Amino acid sequence: MTGASFNSFGIIGGGAWGTALGQTLRQAGRDVLLWAREADVVDEINTLHSNAAFLPGVRLDAGLRATATLAEIAAQEVVLMVAPAQHVRAVAGELARQLPPGRPVVICAKGLEQATSKLLGEVVAESLPGARQAVLSGPSFAADVARGLPAALSLACRDEGLGRLLAAAIGYRHFRIYWTSDPIGVELGGAVKNVLAIAAGIVEGKGFDASAHAALVTRGFAELRRFGEALGARPETLMGLSGLGDLMLTCGSPQSRNMSLGRALGQGRRLQEVLGHRRSVAEGVYTAAAIVRLAAEKGVEMPICGAVHAIVDANLSVDDAIEALLSRPQRSELG
C-alpha cells in the first residue's frame, strides 16, 4: 500500500492478545477481522461479542468480526501475526498461498522457534518471503489493553516510512506506539523476558521475597543485554519498552502467564500438571530451549535461562537449580 494510512487489519490468533489488539484497533476506528482455529471462539466473537475462553469479562466491540478462513485475513491491508510462537511457521505457511506480495505482516508473538532457535522474523522471512515485516512488542497485558487502560509498546521496522505508517494506524490515545528500526532488539526483549519471568515466579513461589526478586530480575537483564549484543540488537532498544519495560511487567505481576507458571513450579507443582489446566500458552517453556542452544552457539553465558530450561526439561529439580545458581563463583558485575 502506498497511501497515507492503513485502515483494514487481519489478526491471526484468537487468544487474549489477538482479541485485545482487535479491540483497541476497533477503538481507533479500524476495520478488523480476526482469525481463530477454534470454531467456538469465532462463533462467540461474532454472535455474543465476547471471548470468554481467553479474555473473560470483556465486552468486545460489535464491529470486531471473526473468521476461520485465512484467505479473508490475507485480503486485509495489514496482517498481525499473533499465533503462538511455536505455531508461526505452520500458520505462515498456510497464509503464503493467499498473501499478496508486499503486504505488511506485523509479528506480535513473543518467542524463539524451539526446533530451530530462530527468531520469528527469520521464520516469517522464510515462510512469507514477499511480506514487508515489522515487530510489535512491549509491556502490555491483554486484559489491560482490551479495557482501554494506558499502555506503550515498540514497533520495529527497518523501513522507516512503513514503520511510521503502521505506528500511526495501530496506535490510539491509550495505546501509544513508539517506532524503532531495531527488530532484533524488540524481538529478543519479548522472547527472553518470558523465560526470566518463569525464574521470577519460582523465586516468589519459594518465598524468597523482594531482595531475591530484585537480584534475579537485574541479573536476568544482564543476560538479555549480553545475548542481545551477540545477536546485533542495540543496547538502547533493550533499555526501552520491549526490553527492560516488558521485563519489569512480566516478572512483577501474577497476571503474567509465565510468572504464574514459575510460581506454581516454585510451590512444588509439576509442569505438566500446571500446563494441563491452561488453555493459554506460556511461551517461556518452549523458548527456553531455543535460547540456551543459541546462546551456546554464540558463546554467551546465560545461567538463569539455563536453569529455567533445565527445570522445564525435567533435567533438574527447582531446589537443585537454585543451589547451582547460588554456588556460582563471585564475579565482576560487568562480566
Side-chain angles (χ1 to χ4, degrees):
M1 180 177 178
T2 57
S5 65
F6 296 105
N7 188 60
S8 68
F9 286 78
I11 299 176
I12 297 178
W17 188 224
T19 306
L21 286 171
Q23 178 82 334
T24 195
L25 283 167
R26 282 296 303 152
Q27 292 168 343
R30 311 304 175 199
D31 295 329
V32 184
L33 186 63
L34 185 149
W35 176 89
R37 286 197 187 277
E38 303 91 343
D40 59 325
V41 171
V42 172
D43 183 64
E44 184 184 348
I45 290 173
N46 288 332
T47 59
L48 301 179
H49 310 302
S50 61
N51 187 347
F54 295 104
L55 203 58
V58 176
R59 178 71 177 175
L60 300 177
D61 188 288
L64 175 59
R65 298 172 296 122
T67 181
T69 305
L70 274 177
E72 293 185 59
I73 298 298
Q76 309 307 308
E77 293 172 344
V78 179
V79 173
L80 304 187
M81 180 63 74
V82 201
Q86 307 312 317
H87 298 284
V88 165
R89 186 181 294 275
V91 176
E94 293 180 44
L95 183 67
R97 295 189 289 272
Q98 294 102 7
L99 193 73
R103 183 75 82 224
V105 174
V106 183
I107 300 166
C108 304
K110 298 179 180 182
L112 270 64
E113 189 175 52
Q114 185 180 35
T116 64
S117 295
K118 290 183 177 180
L119 277 70
L120 297 183
E122 298 175 274
V123 173
V124 170
E126 293 172 359
S127 305
L128 298 168
R132 293 191 290 166
Q133 240 188 75
V135 181
L136 180 68
S137 189
S140 49
F141 286 137
D144 293 350
V145 171
R147 290 183 171 89
L149 300 177
L153 287 80
S154 296
L155 187 141
C157 185
R158 288 193 172 92
D159 180 334
E160 179 175 352
L162 176 61
R164 292 184 183 278
L165 285 176
L166 289 170
I170 295 171
Y172 186 52
R173 190 180 69 87
H174 68 269
F175 194 63
R176 295 183 59 82
I177 306 297
Y178 291 84
W179 178 83
T180 174
S181 58
D182 180 17
I184 292 176
V186 171
E187 273 208 66
L188 287 180
V192 177
K193 61 93 183 179
N194 282 334
V195 180
L196 297 173
I198 294 176
I202 291 171
V203 165
E204 182 174 305
K206 293 295 292 183
F208 288 162
D209 225 331
S211 298
H213 181 270
L216 182 284
V217 174
T218 305
R219 294 310 300 164
F221 183 58
E223 292 190 14
L224 171 58
R225 290 285 300 268
R226 291 196 296 268
F227 194 49
E229 181 181 6
L231 293 177
R234 297 179 197 153
E236 60 268 26
T237 304
L238 300 179
M239 287 293 294
L241 290 165
S242 64
L244 182 59
D246 211 356
L247 183 67
M248 290 170 60
L249 180 76
T250 313
C251 291
S253 171
Q255 284 192 63
S256 161
R257 293 189 299 267
N258 291 281
M259 185 179 179
S260 63
L261 181 140
R263 183 171 57 180
L265 295 177
Q267 291 168 343
R269 295 176 62 188
R270 297 175 61 84
L271 177 65
Q272 293 310 317
E273 174 197 352
V274 180
L275 295 178
H277 289 90
R278 296 182 171 203
R279 194 165 180 179
S280 297
V281 177
E283 289 287 6
V285 172
Y286 310 100
T287 297
I291 288 174
V292 168
R293 190 185 310 120
L294 187 54
E297 291 176 8
K298 299 292 185 179
V300 180
E301 252 195 310
M302 302 186 73
I304 297 173
C305 289
V308 171
H309 169 54
I311 291 168
V312 300
D313 206 40
N315 290 329
L316 207 59
S317 71
V318 168
D319 288 341
D320 286 345
I322 292 170
E323 180 59 31
L325 287 174
L326 293 177
S327 300
R328 286 172 54 83
Q330 305 284 1
R331 59 184 297 171
S332 164
E333 186 175 9
L334 299 180

